[in-house]
Structures are given as structure tokens and as C-alpha cells.
Amino acid sequence: MPTQELPKTYNPREVEESLYKWWEESGFFRAEIDWTKESFVIAIPPPNVTGELHMGHAMFVTLEDIMTRYHRMRGKVALWLPGTDHAGIATQLQVEKLLMQTEGKTRWDVGRADFEDMLWEWKERYGGYITKQLRRLGASCDWSRERFTLDEGLSEAVKEAFVRLFDKGLIYRGTYLVNWSPNLQTAVSDLEVEYSTEPGTLYFFKYLLKDSDDFIPVATTRPETILGDTAVAVHPEDERYRHLVGKTVIVPILGREIPVIADDYVEREFGTGALKITPGHDPNDYEIGKRHGLPILNIMNKDATLNEEGGSYAGLPREEARTRLWADMQAAGLTIREQPHELNVPRTQRGGEIVEPMVSTQWFVKMDEMAAKGLAAVRGGDIRIIPERFEKVYYNWLENIRDWTISRQLWWGHRIPIWYVDGDEERFVAARDEAEAWERARAQFGEVSRLDQEEDVLDTWFSSGLWPFSTLGWPNDTEDLRYFYPTSVMETGYDILFFWVARMIMMGLEFTEQAPFHTVYLHGLVRDEQGAKMSKTKGNVIDPLEAAGEYGTDALRFTLVTGATPGQDMNLNMERVEANRNFANKLWNTARFTLHNLGAEERAEIDTPHMPEARFVALPLAERWIVSRLNQLIAEATRHIEEYNFGEAGRALYNFIWGEFADWYIEAAKTRLYSDDEAAQHETRAVLLHVLERTLRLLHPFMPFITETIWQNLPHAKETPSLMLAAWPEPGPVDAEAIAQFEALQDLIRAIRNTRQEYGVEPARKIAATIVAARNFAEVEASREMIALLARLDEQALQILPSLDTPQEQAAHLVAGEGLEAYLPLAGMVDLEREMARLREQMEQARGEIERLNVRLANPGFVNKAAPNIVQGARDQLHAAQERLGKLEERQVALNSGR
């Protein structure tokens, strides 16, 4: 990359895309196996192949790129392995919508083969969009290793995993109550259901006792499910209904007879204290039904219309069946009342439709054995979860885990490798391919004439659970797998700890007998400025690419990392992104100043590991201070990154670069840079270059574009072509005494600046001062020019003394610490007579206000009758007036006596 002069201003749009292209084409992201080096590996949380970039992506890119770039600079073989997920439900939903919009057809109209072709066409057309967006954010992934969950290698891994689990007896086919998505026509897991609070109705009706006009009052939020009731339950200790247990009641309209049962699950205080039991359409009722051996009736078709079990309501959508059944019950005198009721409505994450609990035949994985291994890995310390509080959440989920429903009634995904023998769904084999299926079927069942593969596909999370090792070649014994596995860190959002992280842990332990990573780092959600979740419907979505385009990718990344705490949601304020753009500009201007002042002799020294101690101890105070603070920063930033406190590391860098290097050292350095002492000039330029170059290395993982752009223009040796390949800095010597001395001078300069402002001295006006340095006279005297420049003092009228023999009259007295104080002659700053007159006037005003407020607060009528906040307001005003008077009196004393 050619070296060129830094432009006056930094324009991210002009450098980011071309710089990234250069990085990628130069192969800097590639991770080449080197058995002499340690590896650092992150497998990317694979975004949906058809997804759009959102702030969650921007967050994980920032954090994972920081880790990858950092460990690459530490000399490790750093692999950030990229890829995308086929996202079964989401992708199929998109293609089905497109098919209906363009051709007015469903997937069943075109058939499975043609529809699968459409899905692959969609993937080819849009599949690379999300990875292009990730590149835009600076993701230093090894794109030569990019994987897709439906590619050939990963598909083979999925088949292998399924067959191994099947052969071990952990996969079975069974009938169970599942969450059914009527529009998608598939089961969805508990984790893919979101609950929303919505207004609804509680319907009260009569369950008539057989051969009696007596009834049990019952309440429901879904009257249509009455048609699937198989019992009415009451609490065994409820005096109102205990005598009815064992009796029979009649299902309204249908006339079926069902029993009254007793179960502890019933809440006596809710509704009427009697509960209708519909095992085929409610998870809690399903468990009650199993305990009592109740029949399980499914009254719904897969599209959520009622089936023949619904009697005369068969064929009606569930909502229409509800309305008609309730009307018929009203006409029959079976209703009691209706009342508004807040509902907790289950909806699918993808389609947003109301989930229908439904009994269905599905494929399941037994989870107890794998969950026990997953628990032991975290409890035993093989895996660390950050933040630690999520360990309890992880434990709770695995300790109460249910068998995993892995089948989905979709056409986009890994088709389940099960073959049915001769059309008999009770006879089947699991196999990696059809040839093996024939072999297994004949060995198990003898003569076989036909094999039919299962139509269902696997849950997307099944293939994602294999991601850390399937992407490296498993089940084959590849060199990649031997070198890069186990991976190092799994970084992702806390919201998929169950969806994905726990399953990766369990699958990794099951198939490789090793934990797939040693650390799980969980970031929070990125919310809007008010803390609301971003959504298109709310109109509060912040597009990361738009933000990066306006303020620069580095500014967005730095905002995300410094505003985030592990596991905590963050509110994104665009003013902070703008502030970090200003920080980038500050860094740019600091670099321009440094480069502008460089001489030829400094250019050969830039690539030394750190400043030699012999040279360091001979530096002047300001230089020893800034180099010491740089070395402290290197140690601090390294520690924070190693401890996964990336926000703390970023904030430390910000404070140093802006608050110390730019605002203090560069200003202090000007006195030596612009002096006639060539040796001092060289020494200062060398320190400027040293600090800037090390700072760029530290900041690079956080803000890669601007740091690389500046670094390419520094006069370093060209053996290292890119900053990302430069070594991470090692801390050098620290002079604690120099830090303390310079900080005391900073305090003194701040005190002088504040006093100037307090007395209204014009910024350009230089004033006289006497500084007494009882402890470090030589250092303070040597810093004379710097102090005068930064405090706007008249160097000719500046006295620096080891002690003060005569008191300073008519002077402001400032103490900056033990052994360091200053006297500012007031006559040189203000018109004493005019200032005294102004003070007297302000003191009279303050005394008058105090007197008025004292009278008011002494009045019982006001104190006892006025609102408490009004009374407190008067007290606060009195306190403020008294403080103001005290400060004015102190100022008056100072003007009179110099104290």
C-alpha cells in the first residue's frame, strides 16, 4: 500500500472499502496452520443467509473482530471462521411469499423438487449479501474457509451425527404435544415461541352434570377447545367441588360424557376454581391427561381449521369456530358471562402467528445424558460463561430440559436420514445415504422391496449445534480439526444461550469428547436511545450501515464496544457515535501534527520493541511522564482484553489518546519542538512518534480503518506490510515519580486556568505568577516554558522558587499538592477597586435574598400550609444563597489580603 501524506481531514468513505479489499486480497485474514504457534479460533455465529444486517450483527462483529485482531497481533494463528445458516423457517417463508406474490401458488402447487430449486436460486441470489455487509464492518474473517450449513461437508456431518445418535438409542419417533405453526405447517420449538401480552376475554360457562340440571362453572379463554375436552378438574381440597369428583359431566353442544377429576395443579382462586382439561391443545392439560390416563383428542387440522372431532364445526377456522360455538352455547343457556382478560399469547418468532399446541408425531432426541455432560463441563470449569450470572440460567435450563423436537415439516433444510421400509411407518432405519439404508434395512428386516425417505427436515439448530467442529472437517480427521479444535471463544447474544450455545456444548462433548470452546462471552441487545427494542413496526431501527456511512465504521464500532457491558443491553445514542467520530478526528489531527514535525533521524527508531531504559531515564519530565503512562496503558489495555473487559480497554484508550497524549503532551511538546535546541527537538519528535505508533497498535482492534490508514504513513520498516500483522506492544519502564510530579504540574496548571476564568482574564492575556516548588524545584524549573505556555503565563514575569521568604500580598494563592503552590498577583489580572465594588454589590444581593427567605421560612403559615415541595424549594434556595455569600466573602478576603 503506497505511503502518502495525510489529508487535512479524515474521510472514512474514501478509505474503508478500498482498505478492506486490500486486506482481504493480500491474504492478511488467512489462518495458516503452524504447529509451532498457538491458535486462537472463533467460529462466527452464522447469520441467516438471507438476512439483513442489524445492530446485533454490528455488535458481534465488533467484539469478535477485536478478539481476533488482538490475538493475531499477539503472534497466534488467529482464525475467525465465517459462514451462514440456511435458516429453514425464515428462508422458506421468504420464498413462499415470493411464489404467492409472483405466481399465486403455494409450495404444494409446484412440488418439492421445483420448490427446492427455487430455494437454492434464492440462496445464490441473496446469500452473499449478509457477508458483504459483514465485510463493511471490518470483519477480519478468513473468507477462504467460509461455510454454509447446507454445503456438502456440513450435510455429511449432520447425517453422521444423526445416525450416531440414532444408533445409540438417543433418537426416537413419538407422539407428543408440540407447538404447531399453522401457516408454516411445521412444529416449532419452545425456544422459537415468543409470548406477548394482549387483550382478550375470559368466557364463563356451565358444565352440566349428567342427568342433572346442576352444573360446574368453568372459565376459558379459548371456547373452541371445549370441543376437545376430556375432563373437568378441581382441586382435591376444594370444598365446593370435592363431592363431584368421579361424577360425569357433558361436553356442551357435542354431548360427550367426560369425568370430573381431582388434581393439585388446579388453582382454586383463579376463575371458578374448576378447570377444563384439553390434553390435545394445552401443554399443562397434556401433563394432567398423562397423569390421569385421559384420552387425547386433536380437534385441529394442520391449518388450524377444525377436523371431524369438532362435529358440526369441522372445517371452520379456529377463530370462527370460537364465535359460532359460543353463540350456540348462549342459545342453549350454557353461558354465564364474559369479562375482559389480559392474555399471554404465544406467537412464532418468524411468522408472528398464534401457535397452536397440537399432538403430533415427530422425531425427538433424548437429552438427559447429553445435558448431564453439558452441566459437568461448566460446573467443572472446562467452560467459562461471561458474565458469570448466566451460569445459573444455563444450569436451570439443562436441569429441567425436555427431549428436543428435531423434526420440522419444511422443505428447506437437512432432510432427516430415515428410510421407511415398504411404506410401513413402524419399520425404519437410519442411514448416511440410500445405499447404506438398503444394507441396514435388509439386515434388519430381511426382504425389502421399497424404501421411502422421511419427508421432514431437521431443526436448523441441529446443524448449528455441530458448527464449531463440522466447519473444520468433522467427522473426518482433518488437519484443520486437529489444529483448530477445540475453538477458543464462542461470542454471541445472551438470547441464544439455549437455542445454540447449550446445544453446541452438548453436541461437542457428545461427538468429540471435548468442550467445543473454553469461554462463552454473551453480549446484550442493542436498543434505541430510550431503551426500547428496535423494530421496523416501531420505526426505531438504526441501520448500522447508514450509521457507518455517516460517521465512519470505526466510530460505530467504538461506540458499541465502549457502551457495552457483558450480558447487559445497551441503549444506542447517535450523539455518542458522533462523539466517537470526533475522537477519530482528534486521533487524525494528532497523527498529522506528529508526521508534520518528524525529522529524518527519528524514522529509523520506530520499530524498536520499546524505548531502551537507558534512554528513557534521561528524558525530561513531560517525556518520561507520557512514556510511563503509555506503558501503563499497554499493561492496562492488555489486562482488560485478556479479562474480556473490552469496554474498559476502549475507555482507557480514549482517555489516554484524547485526555493525555493530545490535550497535554502534544501541547507540552511544542516548547521543545519549536526551540533552538536540535537535540531537544529530536528527542521530542522521537517520543511523539513512539507514543503514536504504540497507541495505533493498541487501538487497531477497536478502530481498524483509521489506525491502519495512519500507520501506513508512518516511517516504519516495511517488512511488516499491515498494522494488523504488527506485534502487540509490550510495556516498558514506568517512572512512578515522574507521573506524580507531572500530575502535580497538571493540577497546578488547571488551578491557574480556573482562577483566570474565575477572575475573567482574557484567554490571550499572559499574567505574572510566582511558583513555589519546595520538593521538586529542579524538575519544575526545567518545565518553566511548558508551564508558561499551558497556563498562559508571562515567562519573563514568572518566578519559580524553592521557597518563599516574603508573603505575597494582593495575590490569589493556589495549592496544587504538597510542596507545590502558586501566587497570582491580582493587580495583574483585575482592576482591584472595580472588582471590590462588584463583590460588595453581589454580597448585598445575597444578604437580601437570605433575609427574605429566612422571614418566609420562619412563618408557620407558609411552612405548615404550603406544599412540601414548595417549602423544600425555599430551603434549597436559602442554602444556595448562603453558599454564594460565603464564596463572595472569601473572594473579598483574598482581594484584601492575598489569602
Side-chain angles (χ1 to χ4, degrees), residues 696-720:
L696 292 174
R697 296 192 193 207
L698 294 173
L699 190 60
H700 178 70
F702 299 82
M703 303 177 79
F705 292 105
I706 189 171
T707 53
E708 179 77 87
T709 303
I710 295 170
W711 193 83
Q712 288 296 331
N713 288 275
L714 297 185
H716 51 72
K718 296 301 179 182
E719 288 80 10
T720 304

mmCIF file of all heavy atoms in Angstrom, residues 696-720:
data_model
loop_
_atom_site.group_PDB
_atom_site.id
_atom_site.type_symbol
_atom_site.label_atom_id
_atom_site.label_comp_id
_atom_site.label_asym_id
_atom_site.label_seq_id
_atom_site.Cartn_x
_atom_site.Cartn_y
_atom_site.Cartn_z
ATOM 1 N N LEU A 696 -1.445 3.424 18.142
ATOM 2 C CA LEU A 696 -2.152 2.879 16.983
ATOM 3 C C LEU A 696 -2.269 1.362 17.082
ATOM 4 O O LEU A 696 -3.299 0.783 16.739
ATOM 5 C CB LEU A 696 -1.438 3.265 15.693
ATOM 6 C CG LEU A 696 -1.460 4.742 15.313
ATOM 7 C CD1 LEU A 696 -0.594 4.987 14.081
ATOM 8 C CD2 LEU A 696 -2.886 5.235 15.072
ATOM 9 N N ARG A 697 -1.211 0.712 17.545
ATOM 10 C CA ARG A 697 -1.282 -0.741 17.705
ATOM 11 C C ARG A 697 -2.350 -1.122 18.725
ATOM 12 O O ARG A 697 -3.120 -2.062 18.517
ATOM 13 C CB ARG A 697 0.076 -1.294 18.142
ATOM 14 C CG ARG A 697 1.186 -1.092 17.121
ATOM 15 C CD ARG A 697 2.409 -1.914 17.471
ATOM 16 N NE ARG A 697 3.575 -1.500 16.686
ATOM 17 C CZ ARG A 697 4.586 -2.297 16.373
ATOM 18 N NH1 ARG A 697 4.576 -3.558 16.777
ATOM 19 N NH2 ARG A 697 5.610 -1.851 15.676
ATOM 20 N N LEU A 698 -2.388 -0.406 19.836
ATOM 21 C CA LEU A 698 -3.370 -0.706 20.875
ATOM 22 C C LEU A 698 -4.791 -0.469 20.399
ATOM 23 O O LEU A 698 -5.716 -1.217 20.737
ATOM 24 C CB LEU A 698 -3.105 0.161 22.115
ATOM 25 C CG LEU A 698 -1.800 -0.079 22.873
ATOM 26 C CD1 LEU A 698 -1.636 0.982 23.949
ATOM 27 C CD2 LEU A 698 -1.770 -1.474 23.479
ATOM 28 N N LEU A 699 -4.972 0.559 19.620
ATOM 29 C CA LEU A 699 -6.314 0.943 19.190
ATOM 30 C C LEU A 699 -6.786 0.145 17.967
ATOM 31 O O LEU A 699 -7.972 0.097 17.681
ATOM 32 C CB LEU A 699 -6.343 2.445 18.881
ATOM 33 C CG LEU A 699 -7.710 3.101 18.638
ATOM 34 C CD1 LEU A 699 -8.609 2.952 19.867
ATOM 35 C CD2 LEU A 699 -7.523 4.578 18.283
ATOM 36 N N HIS A 700 -5.860 -0.489 17.258
ATOM 37 C CA HIS A 700 -6.206 -1.128 15.990
ATOM 38 C C HIS A 700 -7.362 -2.127 16.083
ATOM 39 O O HIS A 700 -8.274 -2.091 15.247
ATOM 40 C CB HIS A 700 -4.981 -1.800 15.375
ATOM 41 C CG HIS A 700 -5.298 -2.516 14.093
ATOM 42 N ND1 HIS A 700 -5.611 -1.859 12.924
ATOM 43 C CD2 HIS A 700 -5.404 -3.844 13.811
ATOM 44 C CE1 HIS A 700 -5.879 -2.749 11.976
ATOM 45 N NE2 HIS A 700 -5.757 -3.951 12.498
ATOM 46 N N PRO A 701 -7.392 -3.049 17.051
ATOM 47 C CA PRO A 701 -8.520 -3.980 17.085
ATOM 48 C C PRO A 701 -9.875 -3.290 17.221
ATOM 49 O O PRO A 701 -10.887 -3.813 16.754
ATOM 50 C CB PRO A 701 -8.217 -4.845 18.321
ATOM 51 C CG PRO A 701 -6.735 -4.765 18.475
ATOM 52 C CD PRO A 701 -6.387 -3.359 18.082
ATOM 53 N N PHE A 702 -9.894 -2.123 17.831
ATOM 54 C CA PHE A 702 -11.142 -1.400 18.059
ATOM 55 C C PHE A 702 -11.526 -0.554 16.842
ATOM 56 O O PHE A 702 -12.691 -0.518 16.453
ATOM 57 C CB PHE A 702 -11.006 -0.493 19.287
ATOM 58 C CG PHE A 702 -10.717 -1.215 20.554
ATOM 59 C CD1 PHE A 702 -9.429 -1.616 20.887
ATOM 60 C CD2 PHE A 702 -11.741 -1.505 21.449
ATOM 61 C CE1 PHE A 702 -9.157 -2.289 22.060
ATOM 62 C CE2 PHE A 702 -11.487 -2.171 22.639
ATOM 63 C CZ PHE A 702 -10.197 -2.573 22.935
ATOM 64 N N MET A 703 -10.558 0.143 16.279
ATOM 65 C CA MET A 703 -10.796 1.070 15.171
ATOM 66 C C MET A 703 -9.802 0.746 14.049
ATOM 67 O O MET A 703 -8.818 1.462 13.850
ATOM 68 C CB MET A 703 -10.658 2.517 15.657
ATOM 69 C CG MET A 703 -11.572 2.873 16.811
ATOM 70 S SD MET A 703 -11.364 4.572 17.445
ATOM 71 C CE MET A 703 -12.280 5.518 16.220
ATOM 72 N N PRO A 704 -10.045 -0.323 13.310
ATOM 73 C CA PRO A 704 -9.009 -0.822 12.390
ATOM 74 C C PRO A 704 -8.737 0.069 11.189
ATOM 75 O O PRO A 704 -7.596 0.126 10.708
ATOM 76 C CB PRO A 704 -9.568 -2.175 11.939
ATOM 77 C CG PRO A 704 -11.045 -2.080 12.150
ATOM 78 C CD PRO A 704 -11.221 -1.202 13.344
ATOM 79 N N PHE A 705 -9.743 0.788 10.685
ATOM 80 C CA PHE A 705 -9.556 1.525 9.435
ATOM 81 C C PHE A 705 -8.679 2.759 9.616
ATOM 82 O O PHE A 705 -7.694 2.955 8.902
ATOM 83 C CB PHE A 705 -10.913 1.926 8.849
ATOM 84 C CG PHE A 705 -11.716 0.750 8.355
ATOM 85 C CD1 PHE A 705 -12.800 0.280 9.080
ATOM 86 C CD2 PHE A 705 -11.387 0.114 7.172
ATOM 87 C CE1 PHE A 705 -13.541 -0.805 8.631
ATOM 88 C CE2 PHE A 705 -12.117 -0.971 6.705
ATOM 89 C CZ PHE A 705 -13.198 -1.435 7.445
ATOM 90 N N ILE A 706 -8.999 3.601 10.571
ATOM 91 C CA ILE A 706 -8.224 4.832 10.744
ATOM 92 C C ILE A 706 -6.821 4.523 11.248
ATOM 93 O O ILE A 706 -5.849 5.163 10.833
ATOM 94 C CB ILE A 706 -8.951 5.830 11.679
ATOM 95 C CG1 ILE A 706 -8.224 7.178 11.654
ATOM 96 C CG2 ILE A 706 -9.080 5.294 13.094
ATOM 97 C CD1 ILE A 706 -8.981 8.275 12.373
ATOM 98 N N THR A 707 -6.681 3.513 12.103
ATOM 99 C CA THR A 707 -5.351 3.194 12.618
ATOM 100 C C THR A 707 -4.454 2.654 11.513
ATOM 101 O O THR A 707 -3.272 3.006 11.444
ATOM 102 C CB THR A 707 -5.448 2.187 13.772
ATOM 103 O OG1 THR A 707 -6.220 1.042 13.345
ATOM 104 C CG2 THR A 707 -6.106 2.803 14.994
ATOM 105 N N GLU A 708 -5.000 1.799 10.643
ATOM 106 C CA GLU A 708 -4.199 1.277 9.524
ATOM 107 C C GLU A 708 -3.818 2.408 8.575
ATOM 108 O O GLU A 708 -2.680 2.483 8.094
ATOM 109 C CB GLU A 708 -4.987 0.212 8.771
ATOM 110 C CG GLU A 708 -4.269 -0.389 7.574
ATOM 111 C CD GLU A 708 -3.203 -1.407 7.956
ATOM 112 O OE1 GLU A 708 -3.539 -2.591 8.114
ATOM 113 O OE2 GLU A 708 -2.017 -0.993 8.088
ATOM 114 N N THR A 709 -4.768 3.305 8.301
ATOM 115 C CA THR A 709 -4.501 4.411 7.374
ATOM 116 C C THR A 709 -3.361 5.286 7.887
ATOM 117 O O THR A 709 -2.449 5.657 7.138
ATOM 118 C CB THR A 709 -5.768 5.256 7.180
ATOM 119 O OG1 THR A 709 -6.823 4.411 6.711
ATOM 120 C CG2 THR A 709 -5.533 6.365 6.171
ATOM 121 N N ILE A 710 -3.389 5.606 9.174
ATOM 122 C CA ILE A 710 -2.309 6.424 9.749
ATOM 123 C C ILE A 710 -1.006 5.637 9.767
ATOM 124 O O ILE A 710 0.055 6.146 9.373
ATOM 125 C CB ILE A 710 -2.681 6.886 11.172
ATOM 126 C CG1 ILE A 710 -3.896 7.833 11.138
ATOM 127 C CG2 ILE A 710 -1.498 7.567 11.852
ATOM 128 C CD1 ILE A 710 -4.466 8.146 12.511
ATOM 129 N N TRP A 711 -1.078 4.396 10.199
ATOM 130 C CA TRP A 711 0.136 3.590 10.366
ATOM 131 C C TRP A 711 0.876 3.414 9.043
ATOM 132 O O TRP A 711 2.101 3.386 9.011
ATOM 133 C CB TRP A 711 -0.264 2.228 10.943
ATOM 134 C CG TRP A 711 0.882 1.404 11.447
ATOM 135 C CD1 TRP A 711 1.487 1.494 12.669
ATOM 136 C CD2 TRP A 711 1.556 0.342 10.756
ATOM 137 N NE1 TRP A 711 2.487 0.552 12.788
ATOM 138 C CE2 TRP A 711 2.554 -0.174 11.618
ATOM 139 C CE3 TRP A 711 1.414 -0.226 9.494
ATOM 140 C CZ2 TRP A 711 3.392 -1.217 11.270
ATOM 141 C CZ3 TRP A 711 2.249 -1.273 9.134
ATOM 142 C CH2 TRP A 711 3.223 -1.758 10.009
ATOM 143 N N GLN A 712 0.121 3.309 7.955
ATOM 144 C CA GLN A 712 0.750 3.152 6.645
ATOM 145 C C GLN A 712 1.581 4.377 6.267
ATOM 146 O O GLN A 712 2.466 4.286 5.418
ATOM 147 C CB GLN A 712 -0.306 2.892 5.565
ATOM 148 C CG GLN A 712 -0.939 1.512 5.621
ATOM 149 C CD GLN A 712 0.060 0.403 5.350
ATOM 150 O OE1 GLN A 712 1.046 0.583 4.633
ATOM 151 N NE2 GLN A 712 -0.178 -0.761 5.941
ATOM 152 N N ASN A 713 1.303 5.493 6.891
ATOM 153 C CA ASN A 713 2.028 6.722 6.583
ATOM 154 C C ASN A 713 3.154 7.027 7.563
ATOM 155 O O ASN A 713 3.841 8.039 7.424
ATOM 156 C CB ASN A 713 1.053 7.900 6.535
ATOM 157 C CG ASN A 713 0.175 7.855 5.298
ATOM 158 O OD1 ASN A 713 0.559 8.318 4.233
ATOM 159 N ND2 ASN A 713 -1.002 7.264 5.426
ATOM 160 N N LEU A 714 3.332 6.155 8.553
ATOM 161 C CA LEU A 714 4.443 6.324 9.478
ATOM 162 C C LEU A 714 5.716 5.757 8.850
ATOM 163 O O LEU A 714 5.662 4.829 8.041
ATOM 164 C CB LEU A 714 4.160 5.607 10.798
ATOM 165 C CG LEU A 714 2.969 6.101 11.619
ATOM 166 C CD1 LEU A 714 2.909 5.359 12.951
ATOM 167 C CD2 LEU A 714 3.014 7.598 11.851
ATOM 168 N N PRO A 715 6.870 6.267 9.234
ATOM 169 C CA PRO A 715 8.133 5.830 8.630
ATOM 170 C C PRO A 715 8.679 4.550 9.255
ATOM 171 O O PRO A 715 9.821 4.485 9.687
ATOM 172 C CB PRO A 715 9.058 7.010 8.901
ATOM 173 C CG PRO A 715 8.556 7.557 10.201
ATOM 174 C CD PRO A 715 7.067 7.406 10.157
ATOM 175 N N HIS A 716 7.825 3.512 9.327
ATOM 176 C CA HIS A 716 8.285 2.256 9.896
ATOM 177 C C HIS A 716 8.926 1.393 8.813
ATOM 178 O O HIS A 716 8.756 1.631 7.612
ATOM 179 C CB HIS A 716 7.111 1.503 10.542
ATOM 180 C CG HIS A 716 5.935 1.370 9.639
ATOM 181 N ND1 HIS A 716 5.908 0.526 8.552
ATOM 182 C CD2 HIS A 716 4.735 2.000 9.652
ATOM 183 C CE1 HIS A 716 4.760 0.623 7.940
ATOM 184 N NE2 HIS A 716 4.023 1.518 8.574
ATOM 185 N N ALA A 717 9.648 0.360 9.252
ATOM 186 C CA ALA A 717 10.247 -0.576 8.306
ATOM 187 C C ALA A 717 9.125 -1.315 7.590
ATOM 188 O O ALA A 717 8.098 -1.642 8.183
ATOM 189 C CB ALA A 717 11.150 -1.557 9.042
ATOM 190 N N LYS A 718 9.281 -1.620 6.310
ATOM 191 C CA LYS A 718 8.207 -2.180 5.511
ATOM 192 C C LYS A 718 8.164 -3.709 5.535
ATOM 193 O O LYS A 718 7.421 -4.316 4.789
ATOM 194 C CB LYS A 718 8.343 -1.694 4.059
ATOM 195 C CG LYS A 718 8.171 -0.185 3.920
ATOM 196 C CD LYS A 718 6.815 0.286 4.423
ATOM 197 C CE LYS A 718 6.664 1.793 4.293
ATOM 198 N NZ LYS A 718 5.385 2.285 4.813
ATOM 199 N N GLU A 719 8.987 -4.357 6.409
ATOM 200 C CA GLU A 719 8.911 -5.807 6.495
ATOM 201 C C GLU A 719 7.532 -6.244 6.982
ATOM 202 O O GLU A 719 7.071 -7.338 6.679
ATOM 203 C CB GLU A 719 9.977 -6.356 7.448
ATOM 204 C CG GLU A 719 11.396 -6.286 6.902
ATOM 205 C CD GLU A 719 11.991 -4.896 7.041
ATOM 206 O OE1 GLU A 719 11.367 -4.056 7.737
ATOM 207 O OE2 GLU A 719 13.062 -4.653 6.461
ATOM 208 N N THR A 720 6.881 -5.397 7.770
ATOM 209 C CA THR A 720 5.523 -5.673 8.229
ATOM 210 C C THR A 720 4.579 -4.865 7.351
ATOM 211 O O THR A 720 4.507 -3.637 7.479
ATOM 212 C CB THR A 720 5.346 -5.262 9.709
ATOM 213 O OG1 THR A 720 6.329 -5.941 10.492
ATOM 214 C CG2 THR A 720 3.964 -5.624 10.206
#
